[in-house]
Amino acid sequence: MSITDNIIAIRREIDAALERRKEHGLEVFPVKLVAVTKNQNIASIQAAINAGIDAIGENRVQEALTKRDGIQGPVDWHLIGHLQTNKVRQAVASFDLIHSVDSERLVFALDKAAAKLNKRQAVLLQVNISGEETKFGVETDQALGLADMIMSSSNLKLSGLMTIAPHFPNPEDARPIFREMYQLFMQLRSAGGVHTTIQWLSMGMTNDYQIAIEEGSNLIRIGTAIFGPRQY
Ligand SMILES: *Cc1c(COP(=O)(O)O)cnc(C)c1O
């Protein structure tokens, strides 16, 4: 299957998952598909953009910078990988949305860099809802505190939440994690009232995106299902 065919197939799956959500009487949000392009070449990325992709997710600041000059067309750049404080300035200069904010230290550094660059940087708070030790992300009980800290910065805009579920052989096992994330997302949204900037719930990858959408995700990050297995 071509990259275009893969994207068409994913869009069908998204619609089917939203339909299932609707059948359960749950609120339905339009879902944004971010193409994850780590380890992909320019030709593949361009093929995805030509097939309608308008948001690119990269894990590393440097890798994104070396690719972006070769790419044609209006796309948003999303940083989805862990961000080190020494890369913050470059990240703020280059990315429309940073998904991986997970510490006070990083919030301070981002606030400072955004002020210097005269930019209001949109960010997501990455939550480690499963409590896995190996994963990045703020612990659930600290999420609201860190969200408050981001919201009190005039240089940052809290646009939502992100999580990476553990890779379960059966993606159904990720459902409780996604459900808990959705509750946290709705709690933050309603606390913000009608003027809330919180709009994105970033969860779901190739293995588990249908379940994530059934549980309320509106931003999925897909690599393998678009481009095939990564070559390292
Ligand atoms: C690699 C990656 C993805 C995409 O993973 P696939 O399983 O290839 O769809 C999504 N999110 C993050 C944070 C990633 O690192």
Side-chain angles (χ1 to χ4, degrees):
M1 288 235 292
S2 71
I3 286 171
T4 305
D5 292 338
N6 290 342
I7 290 170
I8 291 168
I10 292 164
R11 293 210 189 278
R12 283 209 192 96
E13 291 290 338
I14 292 172
D15 288 343
L18 285 174
E19 208 46 54
R20 291 192 292 277
R21 201 174 151 75
K22 221 184 261 171
E23 278 162 17
H24 283 88
L26 297 166
E27 194 179 349
V28 169
F29 306 92
V31 171
K32 186 165 189 71
L33 170 59
V34 175
V36 174
T37 55
K38 60 177 174 239
N39 286 71
Q40 302 300 339
N41 61 37
I42 301 284
S44 301
I45 301 171
Q46 193 62 53
I49 292 168
N50 297 348
I53 289 293
D54 62 3
I56 298 293
E58 279 281 346
N59 287 65
R60 292 161 190 259
V61 176
Q62 200 52 52
E63 188 176 336
L65 290 179
T66 59
K67 284 173 179 171
R68 61 188 289 156
D69 284 347
I71 291 186
Q72 317 263 322
V75 284
D76 280 350
W77 288 81
H78 292 207
L79 182 65
I80 61 172
H82 180 65
L83 177 58
Q84 289 167 324
T85 41
N86 64 347
K87 293 277 164 57
V88 159
R89 208 183 146 79
Q90 273 182 312
V92 171
S94 319
F95 287 93
D96 300 288
L97 182 62
I98 297 174
H99 289 226
S100 45
V101 176
D102 65 353
S103 71
E104 281 191 13
R105 217 162 88 96
L106 198 49
V107 173
F108 275 125
L110 283 164
D111 174 69
K112 219 168 94 187
K116 253 189 204 141
L117 291 165
N118 212 3
K119 178 183 183 189
R120 189 162 180 224
Q121 177 67 53
V123 303
L124 305 183
L125 180 62
Q126 182 176 352
V127 184
N128 179 7
I129 209 124
S130 63
E132 261 195 315
E133 273 177 32
T134 52
K135 287 265 156 57
F136 294 111
V138 64
E139 300 295 322
T140 313
D141 57 358
Q142 291 162 27
L144 293 176
L146 200 54
D148 274 341
M149 190 177 162
I150 297 169
M151 285 188 285
S152 67
S153 158
S154 57
N155 304 305
L156 302 177
K157 177 170 105 174
L158 183 62
S159 296
L161 301 178
M162 181 270 226
T163 200
I164 306 172
H167 185 97
F168 295 112
N170 179 1
E172 270 296 330
D173 294 341
R175 191 181 292 279
I177 293 167
F178 294 143
R179 190 166 292 181
E180 210 179 317
M181 278 297 287
Y182 180 75
Q183 282 161 1
L184 190 60
F185 174 68
M186 292 310 271
Q187 187 183 342
L188 270 170
R189 264 173 77 89
S190 55
V194 287
H195 298 300
T196 184
T197 58
I198 295 170
Q199 57 170 328
W200 297 118
L201 180 55
S202 168
M203 58 188 195
M205 302 165 41
T206 293
N207 186 50
D208 56 19
Y209 72 91
Q210 290 99 332
I211 309 282
I213 292 168
E214 286 173 24
E215 295 301 330
S217 168
N218 63 358
L219 202 173
I220 57 173
R221 311 176 306 267
I222 307 288
T224 309
I226 294 177
F227 299 107
R230 279 181 286 278
Q231 317 285 328
Y232 287 99

